[in-house]
Amino acid sequence: MTTEKAPAELKEHKHQEVSDDISPELEALLHTDTTQGLTSAEHQERIQKFGRNELVEQKSNPLLKFLGYFTDPIAVLIIVAMIFSAVAQDWINFGIIFFLLLLNALIGFSMEAQAESALDALKNTLALKTKCWRDGELKEVDSVELVPGDVIVLRLGDIVPADCRLLGISVTGDESDADLQIDQSALTGESLPVNKNKGSTAYSSSIVKQGQMMAVVTKTGGTTFIGRAANLISITNEKGHFQKVIGQIGNFLVIVTAILVIVILVFLLVKHEGDDPILRIQQVVVLTVAAIPVGLPTVLSVTMAVGAKQLAAKQVIVKRLTAVEEMASVTILCSDKTGTLTLNQLTFDDPWLMEGFSKEDILLYSFISSEPGANDPIEKAVRKAAQEGVPRLQNLKGHNIPGYKVSSFVPFNPTSKRTQATVTNLETNETFLVSKGAPPTMIKLVGGNDDAVHAVNDLAGRGLRALGVARTYPGKPEEWSLVGMISLLDPPRPDSAETVKRCHDYGVSVKMVTGDQLIIAKEVAHRLGMQRAILDATKLVEKDADEETIFWRCLHADGFAQVIPEHKYRVVELLQSRGILVAMTGDGVNDAPALKKANVGIAVHDCTDAARSASDIVLLAPGLSTIIDGITTSRAIFQRMRSYALYRITATVHILIFFFLIILIEEWNMDPVLLIFIAVLNDLATIVIAFDDAQISQKPDKWRIGQLIFLSILLGLLLTGLSFAHFYVGLLVYELDPGTMQQLQSVMYLNISSAPHFVIFSTRLSGYFWESLPSWFFFIAVMGTQVFAMLITIFGVPDLIAAVGPGWGFAIIGVSLVYFVILDFVKVQLFRIWSFKFTATLWPTPARRAKLAQRKLEVESHQRLKDNVNKIKKVLALSEAINHFTA
């Protein structure tokens, strides 16, 4: 007994609409007479209730924003020092401190002044005028005056002015079966225009590509789909990663400086009770000014500004200066698919062909059956592929096909769902028909074909758009033969796969984010060399799943499909909640909230104004390949910044501890002018670190504040020991006079100037200093300041520095250089033993303990998985051996 095989069925993949919930109260207002529209009275009543159809921006006060640059810990400490300088009437120090403080604030303010225009750009995407029925007349009204219930007309080329429901009737009031074709890629990230018919929602700022239909306005202003994106941008004003790091460093220095300076001040006031307290305050102010890293924010800002200039030469424009530092620490790059990883244009892919036909045949017949001059993206893709792949169509002008004449053409319509051309072969003078259309229509036209059904399902399962092509033969106009199925896809950019690979090589995980269907996302991921672990974005907002579960879903996914702006924002938010630094790329309005939320928002080539305004970095070249330049350059900049920070904190700790102890033990202090001279001269020299050669890390960089501070304290204590050695050798062995303008002052000046300054040659990298030598420019700048300090110490400066002769001068510089090598060895050994476990043990905060426990669980889980794999391998090997033996 045989069973009849069931015919194959086509699987349909439909576009999924974004949820557009409308309350019953609002629904009651939407049933407006389509021939009359709202009355003026109804319009005024509703505009009072719903407001104007515009995005309201809450602008920040520029003055308050500028003053905000004076509120971080280092700035507060500098301001306190300024106040003490004024009290002590030390106007020279006051002027120097004020200048550096103002310079740093001006640099930061000017670099970020243009980063707050995201909502302006979103406003500009709205239509300015629209056709609307009002008081029984079809009028042209301002889009900002629309209210829910207004009946508007949407035509080819219109920007949809508000969220609206399509009514399925034309402007004349007749029923319309034709769909509207709407491009909403800038809102949802979908690579293809979508067909919408009666009852569908057209979203504000999308563009009508084909058709004409009336619609009723459902939502306006901030309640629209684009309005929700604007709201996400306006609430995203978090402090950046760099500001947090500088804040942590500043807090440490403020606490240490405050404690030691207060102890010294109390000690001096008590010991010298009855003396003028202003004299003691002057001593403390000088010490504070010398210790505070006044130039730290300025040097770091200059370093980032130089890096931004280097990136600009590589077509990477930095809008927010601190994004340069944050880019170096990014571990996950979330990339928009459409227009970023892909070309955002339909392209002819490998076709499925019936036996007896070639790729050239299906391209030729597709071209013949395409509508000349049609603006449809599918028709454009077909014509372009045919002109490139069929020799006789190359260099073709117009639609005249060499060797063929099209005598009649029936364009695509919603009823037939296909085009048809009547063609004459000019060589044989034979006439035949060619048709192109939707797969179900074409398969039905040829009388069914199970192989074709399976082929279409396979293409659809890979996210490819399919079109059927068929033809007749002369004398048999009713007998159609299937030529094959065209497949179309928005393909990856030529450089995208290589960029993804290089990002992984640098320790940056790439996650694809798209508004397209899951199957399309998986196909593109496969072509990019990524895994197909693509998550449906609805899994990010499941009410039944806890936050922990959702986070791990997000972390382990290689991409996300069918996302809306809230989903993109959610992805960034979830990853950041665990301390992960995230970069986000995008080009559309739908990307703007996530670009603003991300640690580094990257607007790609040909992006919208909204994406450009919300971003921190703008790419001028197409594709993502320039991101690699951004990663490598930012990591070089990071190394320079971290080496300067380590050097400057070490120098601060050294000065604070040495003078704290020497004042308490010997009540000795250096001439205030010499201390200021050291601080300013050395900081000016180290500004050129912005031009130094730097090693590029193969993994994302981290500040590791605990390690940075611990190493700074250790190096500072060792330098303090060296300074005490110089002091007591000069005082006790050579019996130098410790008074002002005497030789001991000169000896200590040169020691405190050179020994910490040479440490910067060590802090440049984590390995030994000779593994990567500094640039000649940086080397000359640092050595030049110390040669200058040595010369003025050897020969002296009248009324400032006593001459000590070449013996002392060369000896101190020589000892400082040898000691720098010793400190370099200490640094390398510390880096070798340092780990997160070491940090968590040294400073066991609750967060660190939790992170340590999580890492332990991950290691154990990985080991169990490895053990299970080994067991399976052993079982398979044993089974193979048994099979071999029995055979």
Side-chain angles (χ1 to χ4, degrees), residues 34-54:
T34 56
T35 60
Q36 297 295 315
L38 298 176
T39 65
S40 296
E42 288 174 324
H43 171 260
Q44 286 301 317
E45 181 183 337
R46 295 187 187 188
I47 207 164
Q48 291 292 325
K49 180 177 181 180
F50 296 102
R52 286 161 62 87
N53 180 34
E54 60 185 358

Side-chain angles (χ1 to χ4, degrees), residues 97-265:
I97 299 169
F98 178 74
F99 173 74
L100 290 173
L101 184 66
L102 188 63
L103 177 64
N104 184 63
L106 286 172
I107 290 174
F109 183 77
S110 63
M111 289 301 296
E112 297 186 28
Q114 298 179 350
E116 303 242 339
S117 57
L119 291 177
D120 278 336
L122 283 169
K123 286 181 184 179
N124 293 336
T125 64
L126 293 173
L128 299 177
K129 296 279 187 180
T130 191
K131 291 281 187 181
C132 174
W133 282 98
R134 189 77 56 76
D135 293 321
E137 295 181 24
L138 187 61
K139 301 178 180 179
E140 188 173 70
V141 301
D142 291 331
S143 295
V144 295
E145 297 296 325
L146 291 178
V147 295
D150 264 329
V151 177
I152 61 174
V153 178
L154 298 178
R155 292 186 172 121
L156 172 68
D158 283 353
I159 298 175
V160 181
D163 285 4
C164 52
R165 182 186 296 160
L166 300 182
L167 297 174
I169 55 178
S170 67
V171 68
T172 60
D174 299 325
E175 291 288 333
S176 174
D177 294 330
D179 292 349
L180 275 189
Q181 195 174 86
I182 294 181
D183 179 2
Q184 56 186 38
S185 60
L187 291 154
T188 62
E190 294 165 290
S191 56
L192 301 173
V194 295
N195 292 326
K196 303 216 173 192
N197 46 35
K198 183 178 180 179
S200 299
T201 299
Y203 297 108
S204 174
S205 294
S206 57
I207 302 170
V208 180
K209 287 293 187 180
Q210 196 174 68
Q212 178 210 80
M213 196 179 293
M214 287 207 293
V216 61
V217 174
T218 56
K219 294 181 181 179
T220 59
T223 61
T224 61
F225 187 84
I226 191 176
R228 300 207 302 266
N231 183 57
L232 286 175
I233 292 175
S234 67
I235 64 174
T236 305
N237 290 299
E238 298 180 0
K239 186 181 287 187
H241 175 258
F242 180 72
Q243 285 86 354
K244 292 176 183 177
V245 168
I246 293 299
Q248 288 177 293
I249 294 173
N251 288 333
F252 166 72
L253 294 177
V254 166
I255 293 170
V256 172
T257 303
I259 292 173
L260 298 185
V261 167
I262 290 171
V263 171
I264 291 174
L265 180 60

